[in-house]
Amino acid sequence: MTGKKLIGMAIALVVLAGIALMQQTGGQKRRPAAAQDGATLLQGVELNDIDGVEIAEGGASVKLAKKEGQWVVGSLFDYPVNFKKLADALRAVAEVAMGSPVRAANVDPAEYGLDAAKSIALFRGGKEAVKIEVGARRDASSGWANQHFVRKGGADEIYLVDYDFHPFDETSSDWIDTGLINVSSSDIVSVKVGDVELNAVSNRWTLADLDAETEEFEPSEANKLRMALQYLNCTTVADPAQSDADLGFADAVVYTASTTNKTYTVTVGGEADNGRYIRLSGDVPDNVKNWTYVVSSYEVGDFLIGRDKLVKEKEPPEAGPAEEPAAD
């Protein structure tokens, strides 16, 4: 085979490969192309300088602010922010590529869901540094379910970006660390609540005032009391301005669990929406002291198990067969 023929075959193969690639990709949707200059959604914004975030959608809103070096949820009584969530969200949105505008003039905002947009504003030195309006999500059938239409600072240009903005929730309680405490049940050696006192003796739970002659101990219910501090979570934080009477602590139930060297106290107050108010004291982390939390009814129930659930009446022994009268 001559050199000319080899070169001709090579050119033909390249052409065929190009045609095949065009056929393969021709019907697929593509991600929005990044702008040639690599512009990002937060271009020119230094994240370390940001000291405030405001998010609003519909009638709900949340305000986050950096006060005295600590991020707090301003719309939730200045409770500390879950900083990892905030940092991750800001870093993620800062890396979102802008691409080229999909529309730049004669724009109907409603066409892109921007008439009822989610608003995300970042502040620097108390002044707005950048504002992002997040519109409609691109139809999932297009293949990129996370894409949203956005615009910055009320400008006319509308962009399609590949980010879902889900971390930027407009509910205040979603910006706090809801995990309060986690103490392994195997470390608990005693529990006291109301008229109940449980103690671990040789790895067995015992009820202090059990009447062994008439009562039987229910260890499964006792284990719930022992496990009450495992992965204890709240749903939100109560208003610190409310009084003990407002929150039902005038008739509180006090639960105390001890390990060999630490003591944890949970004071259970009145009913809240979908739960009960509680306070934590003793050897609990400092960041959860001096706050009143709302805990779900399901979780708080384990702190309220009474003696009636821990014992049951002992069944009388079955009578043996009657003795036969002695023969004469």
Side-chain angles (χ1 to χ4, degrees):
M1 185 176 295
T2 65
K4 290 184 177 180
K5 288 184 177 180
L6 287 172
I7 294 172
M9 290 179 65
I11 293 173
L13 287 172
V14 170
V15 172
L16 288 173
I19 294 172
L21 181 61
M22 291 173 61
Q23 290 176 338
Q24 182 179 6
T25 60
Q28 292 181 355
K29 300 291 183 180
R30 298 185 180 183
R31 293 176 182 265
Q36 292 182 356
D37 60 359
T40 57
L41 201 53
L42 298 186
Q43 183 114 6
V45 176
E46 176 56 55
L47 292 184
N48 289 332
D49 294 338
I50 297 301
D51 55 17
V53 178
E54 294 187 8
I55 307 162
E57 185 173 18
S61 64
V62 60
K63 293 183 179 182
L64 313 177
K66 193 175 185 180
K67 296 183 178 181
E68 299 179 356
Q70 182 183 33
W71 278 92
V72 298
V73 185
S75 49
L76 193 64
F77 320 115
D78 282 357
Y79 191 82
V81 163
N82 181 341
F83 183 72
K84 183 180 185 305
K85 174 177 178 174
L86 174 60
D88 288 348
L90 290 176
R91 281 195 292 264
V93 76
E95 295 173 357
V96 175
M98 289 285 285
S100 301
V102 294
R103 286 290 174 86
N106 300 320
V107 173
D108 178 7
E111 184 180 349
Y112 299 93
L114 291 165
D115 56 330
K118 177 196 287 282
S119 169
I120 303 171
L122 307 185
F123 293 81
R124 179 176 54 226
K127 297 181 179 179
E128 188 176 288
V130 62
K131 184 177 182 180
I132 303 166
E133 296 173 274
V134 183
R137 186 177 71 176
R138 192 181 190 186
D139 186 358
S141 64
S142 66
W144 307 111
N146 288 337
Q147 290 182 350
H148 279 75
F149 295 102
V150 302
R151 65 181 175 184
K152 291 177 63 175
D156 289 335
E157 294 84 358
I158 296 176
Y159 297 84
L160 180 63
V161 299
D162 192 17
Y163 185 62
D164 65 4
F165 295 93
H166 179 71
F168 289 90
D169 197 284
E170 65 279 1
T171 304
S172 295
S173 56
D174 284 344
W175 287 96
I176 68 174
D177 185 353
T178 56
L180 301 178
I181 192 172
N182 179 24
V183 182
S184 174
S185 62
S186 61
D187 293 336
I188 303 297
V189 296
S190 69
V191 173
K192 294 180 181 179
V193 54
D195 60 350
V196 171
E197 180 178 348
L198 295 169
N199 295 286
V201 178
S202 300
N203 294 323
R204 291 181 57 194
W205 276 107
T206 61
L207 182 62
D209 63 347
L210 182 71
D211 185 344
E213 292 186 3
T214 62
E215 295 177 324
E216 287 186 16
F217 184 49
E218 292 283 5
S220 62
E221 293 298 315
N223 283 334
K224 292 180 182 178
L225 280 169
R226 192 181 189 183
M227 297 171 64
L229 294 176
Q230 284 193 172
Y231 301 106
L232 179 62
N233 297 284
C234 70
T235 57
T236 190
V237 181
D239 185 350
Q242 290 187 284
S243 67
D244 284 0
D246 293 334
L247 301 175
F249 285 99
D251 299 310
V253 175
V254 179
Y255 166 101
T256 302
S258 299
T259 65
T260 56
N261 60 354
K262 293 183 178 180
T263 298
Y264 307 92
T265 299
V266 179
T267 305
V268 182
E271 293 184 359
D273 290 341
N274 302 316
R276 296 280 289 267
Y277 296 109
I278 72 162
R279 291 172 180 162
L280 302 174
S281 57
D283 295 312
V284 298
D286 289 339
N287 64 298
V288 300
K289 293 179 178 179
N290 304 318
W291 289 95
T292 300
Y293 299 95
V294 177
V295 174
S296 71
S297 300
Y298 173 77
E299 289 201 56
V300 83
D302 290 344
F303 295 109
L304 304 174
I305 295 174
R307 194 180 187 283
D308 59 320
K309 297 291 182 65
L310 296 171
V311 297
K312 66 179 181 179
E313 186 177 351
K314 182 177 285 188
E315 296 289 338
E318 293 184 5
E323 293 186 3
E324 295 288 337
D328 292 338

